[in-house]
Protein backbone atom coordinates (compact mmCIF):
# COMPACT_ATOMS: atom_id res chain seq x y z
CA UNK A 1 0.00 0.00 0.00
CA UNK A 2 1.42 3.41 -1.01
CA UNK A 3 1.29 6.52 1.14
CA UNK A 4 -1.35 7.87 -1.26
CA UNK A 5 -3.52 4.79 -0.62
CA UNK A 6 -3.21 5.38 3.13
CA UNK A 7 -4.11 9.04 2.75
CA UNK A 8 -7.24 8.22 0.74
CA UNK A 9 -8.41 5.58 3.23
CA UNK A 10 -7.97 8.07 6.06
CA UNK A 11 -9.61 10.85 4.05
CA UNK A 12 -12.79 8.83 3.53
CA UNK A 13 -13.15 8.44 7.29
CA UNK A 14 -12.33 12.09 7.84
CA UNK A 15 -14.99 13.26 5.38
CA UNK A 16 -17.65 11.07 6.98
CA UNK A 17 -16.86 12.58 10.39
CA UNK A 18 -17.02 16.08 8.93
CA UNK A 19 -20.42 15.39 7.38
CA UNK A 20 -21.82 14.35 10.76
CA UNK A 21 -20.28 17.37 12.44
CA UNK A 22 -21.24 20.10 9.93
CA UNK A 23 -24.22 19.94 7.58
CA UNK A 24 -24.27 21.22 3.99
CA UNK A 25 -26.70 23.90 5.13
CA UNK A 26 -24.32 25.08 7.83
CA UNK A 27 -21.48 25.31 5.33
CA UNK A 28 -23.65 27.30 2.93
CA UNK A 29 -24.38 29.79 5.72
CA UNK A 30 -20.68 30.50 6.32
CA UNK A 31 -19.16 33.95 5.90
CA UNK A 32 -17.34 33.15 2.65
CA UNK A 33 -19.83 30.96 0.81
CA UNK A 34 -21.49 33.82 -1.07
CA UNK A 35 -18.28 35.69 -1.95
CA UNK A 36 -17.19 35.85 -5.57
CA UNK A 37 -14.00 33.90 -6.16
CA UNK A 38 -10.94 35.52 -7.64
CA UNK A 39 -10.05 34.44 -11.18
CA UNK A 40 -7.06 32.11 -11.12
CA UNK A 41 -6.29 32.94 -14.75
CA UNK A 42 -6.35 36.71 -14.21
CA UNK A 43 -3.87 36.56 -11.34
CA UNK A 44 -1.65 33.93 -12.92
CA UNK A 45 -1.29 35.86 -16.17
CA UNK A 46 -1.01 39.28 -14.51
CA UNK A 47 2.38 40.66 -15.66
CA UNK A 48 2.89 42.39 -12.30
CA UNK A 49 2.82 39.00 -10.53
CA UNK A 50 5.36 36.18 -10.58
CA UNK A 51 3.25 33.19 -11.63
CA UNK A 52 4.28 31.52 -8.37
CA UNK A 53 1.66 29.66 -6.34
CA UNK A 54 3.32 29.85 -2.93
CA UNK A 55 2.45 27.09 -0.52
CA UNK A 56 1.97 27.01 3.24
CA UNK A 57 2.95 23.52 4.38
CA UNK A 58 4.10 22.49 7.84
CA UNK A 59 4.87 18.85 7.14
CA UNK A 60 4.92 16.23 4.39
CA UNK A 61 4.95 12.41 4.45
CA UNK A 62 8.29 12.34 2.63
CA UNK A 63 10.15 15.05 4.58
CA UNK A 64 8.48 15.03 7.99
CA UNK A 65 8.14 18.40 9.72
CA UNK A 66 9.30 21.19 7.43
CA UNK A 67 8.33 24.24 9.49
CA UNK A 68 5.80 24.27 12.32
CA UNK A 69 7.01 27.51 13.93
CA UNK A 70 5.39 30.11 11.68
CA UNK A 71 1.88 31.55 11.36
CA UNK A 72 -0.35 31.31 8.30
CA UNK A 73 -0.99 35.05 8.30
CA UNK A 74 2.67 36.07 8.44
CA UNK A 75 3.81 33.57 5.83
CA UNK A 76 1.01 34.17 3.34
CA UNK A 77 1.27 37.95 3.74
CA UNK A 78 4.97 37.61 2.98
CA UNK A 79 4.23 35.52 -0.08
CA UNK A 80 1.68 38.03 -1.35
CA UNK A 81 4.07 40.93 -0.79
CA UNK A 82 6.77 39.05 -2.74
CA UNK A 83 4.48 38.84 -5.78
CA UNK A 84 2.73 35.48 -5.44
CA UNK A 85 -0.01 35.00 -8.03
CA UNK A 86 -1.86 32.66 -5.68
CA UNK A 87 -1.51 30.85 -2.36
CA UNK A 88 -1.75 27.12 -1.68
CA UNK A 89 -2.80 26.01 1.78
CA UNK A 90 -2.65 22.40 2.97
CA UNK A 91 -5.75 21.40 4.91
CA UNK A 92 -4.93 17.72 5.53
CA UNK A 93 -4.27 17.24 9.25
CA UNK A 94 -2.98 13.66 9.62
CA UNK A 95 -0.25 13.68 7.01
CA UNK A 96 0.56 17.39 6.55
CA UNK A 97 -0.33 19.03 9.90
CA UNK A 98 -2.78 21.24 8.02
CA UNK A 99 -6.07 22.63 9.28
CA UNK A 100 -9.20 23.98 7.66
CA UNK A 101 -8.68 27.00 9.92
CA UNK A 102 -5.43 27.66 7.99
CA UNK A 103 -7.47 28.16 4.83
CA UNK A 104 -9.78 30.61 6.62
CA UNK A 105 -6.79 32.49 8.04
CA UNK A 106 -5.14 32.79 4.62
CA UNK A 107 -8.38 34.04 3.07
CA UNK A 108 -8.92 36.69 5.75
CA UNK A 109 -5.36 37.96 5.47
CA UNK A 110 -5.00 38.20 1.68
CA UNK A 111 -6.57 39.50 -1.52
CA UNK A 112 -5.18 36.98 -4.01
CA UNK A 113 -6.56 33.53 -4.97
CA UNK A 114 -6.22 30.71 -2.45
CA UNK A 115 -6.02 27.03 -3.40
CA UNK A 116 -7.36 24.44 -0.99
CA UNK A 117 -4.62 21.79 -1.20
CA UNK A 118 -6.12 18.52 -0.09
CA UNK A 119 -7.12 15.09 -1.32
CA UNK A 120 -10.59 15.69 -2.73
CA UNK A 121 -12.63 12.49 -2.91
CA UNK A 122 -16.12 13.75 -2.10
CA UNK A 123 -18.29 16.63 -3.28
CA UNK A 124 -18.72 17.65 0.37
CA UNK A 125 -15.10 18.83 0.37
CA UNK A 126 -15.84 21.19 -2.50
CA UNK A 127 -18.67 22.79 -0.52
CA UNK A 128 -16.24 23.05 2.41
CA UNK A 129 -13.63 24.71 0.20
CA UNK A 130 -16.09 27.39 -0.87
CA UNK A 131 -17.28 27.86 2.71
CA UNK A 132 -13.75 28.32 4.04
CA UNK A 133 -12.78 30.92 1.45
CA UNK A 134 -10.96 28.97 -1.26
CA UNK A 135 -10.91 30.22 -4.84
CA UNK A 136 -9.34 27.09 -6.35
CA UNK A 137 -9.73 23.38 -5.67
CA UNK A 138 -7.31 20.61 -6.53
CA UNK A 139 -8.42 17.37 -8.17
CA UNK A 140 -5.77 14.64 -8.22
CA UNK A 141 -6.09 12.32 -11.21
CA UNK A 142 -4.27 9.50 -9.40
CA UNK A 143 -7.14 9.09 -6.91
CA UNK A 144 -10.17 9.94 -9.08
CA UNK A 145 -11.89 8.34 -12.07
CA UNK A 146 -12.64 10.47 -15.15
CA UNK A 147 -16.33 10.44 -14.15
CA UNK A 148 -15.51 11.68 -10.65
CA UNK A 149 -13.29 14.41 -12.06
CA UNK A 150 -16.10 15.57 -14.36
CA UNK A 151 -18.70 15.52 -11.59
CA UNK A 152 -16.53 17.37 -9.07
CA UNK A 153 -15.25 19.91 -11.58
CA UNK A 154 -18.81 20.66 -12.69
CA UNK A 155 -19.93 21.23 -9.10
CA UNK A 156 -16.93 23.44 -8.40
CA UNK A 157 -17.56 25.60 -11.47
CA UNK A 158 -21.24 25.96 -10.50
CA UNK A 159 -20.02 27.50 -7.22
CA UNK A 160 -17.65 29.85 -9.02
CA UNK A 161 -14.53 27.96 -7.97
CA UNK A 162 -11.50 27.51 -10.22
CA UNK A 163 -10.37 23.93 -10.86
CA UNK A 164 -6.79 22.67 -11.00
CA UNK A 165 -6.26 19.08 -12.13
CA UNK A 166 -3.04 17.40 -11.01
CA UNK A 167 -1.43 14.69 -13.14
CA UNK A 168 1.79 12.71 -12.80
CA UNK A 169 2.08 11.01 -16.19
CA UNK A 170 0.70 10.78 -19.71
CA UNK A 171 -1.89 8.12 -18.86
CA UNK A 172 -3.46 10.32 -16.16
CA UNK A 173 -3.40 13.35 -18.45
CA UNK A 174 -5.07 11.63 -21.39
CA UNK A 175 -7.90 10.08 -19.39
CA UNK A 176 -8.63 13.06 -17.13
CA UNK A 177 -8.97 16.12 -19.38
CA UNK A 178 -12.39 17.72 -18.96
CA UNK A 179 -13.82 21.02 -20.31
CA UNK A 180 -14.71 22.23 -16.79
CA UNK A 181 -11.04 22.40 -15.78
CA UNK A 182 -9.20 25.72 -15.66
CA UNK A 183 -5.65 24.49 -15.23
CA UNK A 184 -3.60 21.33 -15.45
CA UNK A 185 -0.76 20.88 -13.02
CA UNK A 186 2.10 18.47 -13.60
CA UNK A 187 3.35 17.10 -10.30
CA UNK A 188 7.05 16.39 -10.71
CA UNK A 189 7.01 14.05 -7.71
CA UNK A 190 6.88 10.30 -8.29
CA UNK A 191 4.15 9.00 -5.98
CA UNK A 192 5.73 5.57 -5.75
CA UNK A 193 9.10 6.59 -4.34
CA UNK A 194 8.70 10.37 -3.76
CA UNK A 195 11.65 11.19 -6.02
CA UNK A 196 11.28 14.45 -7.94
CA UNK A 197 12.26 15.43 -11.46
CA UNK A 198 11.22 18.54 -13.36
CA UNK A 199 11.67 16.50 -16.54
CA UNK A 200 8.11 15.27 -16.00
CA UNK A 201 6.84 18.78 -16.72
CA UNK A 202 8.90 19.09 -19.90
CA UNK A 203 7.65 15.72 -21.13
CA UNK A 204 3.97 16.46 -20.59
CA UNK A 205 3.90 20.16 -21.55
CA UNK A 206 3.41 19.61 -25.33
CA UNK A 207 0.44 17.33 -24.64
CA UNK A 208 -1.57 19.73 -22.46
CA UNK A 209 -4.24 21.42 -24.61
CA UNK A 210 -3.67 25.16 -25.06
CA UNK A 211 -7.02 26.14 -23.52
CA UNK A 212 -5.77 25.15 -20.06
CA UNK A 213 -3.33 27.01 -17.87
CA UNK A 214 -0.17 24.95 -17.36
CA UNK A 215 1.24 24.59 -13.85
CA UNK A 216 4.46 22.87 -12.81
CA UNK A 217 4.45 21.52 -9.25
CA UNK A 218 7.32 20.39 -6.98
CA UNK A 219 11.07 20.12 -7.69
CA UNK A 220 11.39 23.89 -8.25
CA UNK A 221 14.20 25.30 -6.13
CA UNK A 222 16.07 27.46 -8.62
CA UNK A 223 14.85 30.64 -10.38
CA UNK A 224 16.52 29.38 -13.55
CA UNK A 225 14.11 26.43 -13.58
CA UNK A 226 11.16 28.83 -13.77
CA UNK A 227 12.74 30.63 -16.72
CA UNK A 228 13.09 27.30 -18.54
CA UNK A 229 9.55 26.19 -17.63
CA UNK A 230 8.16 29.44 -19.03
CA UNK A 231 9.89 28.70 -22.33
CA UNK A 232 8.19 25.29 -22.26
CA UNK A 233 4.80 27.01 -21.99
CA UNK A 234 4.11 26.93 -18.26
CA UNK A 235 2.13 29.79 -16.70
CA UNK A 236 2.35 28.84 -13.02
CA UNK A 237 4.82 27.30 -10.60
CA UNK A 238 3.78 25.76 -7.30
CA UNK A 239 6.53 26.10 -4.71
CA UNK A 240 6.22 25.16 -1.07
CA UNK A 241 9.06 23.28 0.57
CA UNK A 242 11.78 25.49 -0.91
CA UNK A 243 10.33 28.50 0.93
CA UNK A 244 8.84 26.78 3.97
CA UNK A 245 12.12 25.16 5.03
CA UNK A 246 13.48 28.66 5.73
CA UNK A 247 12.87 30.51 8.99
CA UNK A 248 11.12 33.32 7.12
CA UNK A 249 9.36 31.83 4.06
CA UNK A 250 8.15 35.20 2.79
CA UNK A 251 11.67 36.61 2.84
CA UNK A 252 12.94 33.46 1.14
CA UNK A 253 10.42 33.94 -1.66
CA UNK A 254 11.35 37.63 -2.02
CA UNK A 255 15.02 36.71 -2.47
CA UNK A 256 14.06 33.96 -4.95
CA UNK A 257 11.91 36.38 -6.98
CA UNK A 258 14.79 38.86 -7.05
CA UNK A 259 16.67 36.40 -9.27
CA UNK A 260 13.85 35.84 -11.77
Amino acid sequence: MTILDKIVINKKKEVQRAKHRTSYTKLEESEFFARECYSFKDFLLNPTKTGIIAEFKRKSPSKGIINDKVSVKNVTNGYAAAGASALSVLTDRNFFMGKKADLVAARRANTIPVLRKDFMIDEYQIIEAKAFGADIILLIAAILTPAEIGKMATLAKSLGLNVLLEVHNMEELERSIHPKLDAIGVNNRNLADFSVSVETSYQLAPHIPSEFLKISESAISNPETIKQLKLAGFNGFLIGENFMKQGDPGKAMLEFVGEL
Side-chain angles (χ1 to χ4, degrees), residues 11 63 106 143 153 172 192 199 205 234:
K11 191 61 60 178
K63 294 295 175 75
I143 62 174
E172 289 179 3
E199 282 304 313
F234 283 90

Side-chain angles (χ1 to χ4, degrees), residues 13 73 87 118:
K13 297 174 183 175
K73 183 179 187 299
L87 303 167
D118 211 317

Side-chain angles (χ1 to χ4, degrees), residues 44-58:
L44 208 58
L45 301 185
N46 185 334
T48 68
K49 303 286 184 185
T50 60
I52 293 173
I53 304 155
E55 187 160 272
F56 183 87
K57 176 168 65 174
R58 296 186 183 89

Side-chain angles (χ1 to χ4, degrees), residues 36-49:
E36 185 175 344
C37 293
Y38 292 119
S39 165
F40 190 24
K41 183 177 182 179
D42 287 353
F43 278 78
L44 208 58
L45 301 185
N46 185 334
T48 68
K49 303 286 184 185

Side-chain angles (χ1 to χ4, degrees), residues 88-99:
S88 172
V89 179
L90 266 295
T91 57
D92 177 83
R93 183 182 294 272
N94 285 32
F95 296 87
F96 292 87
M97 284 180 71
K99 296 178 286 188

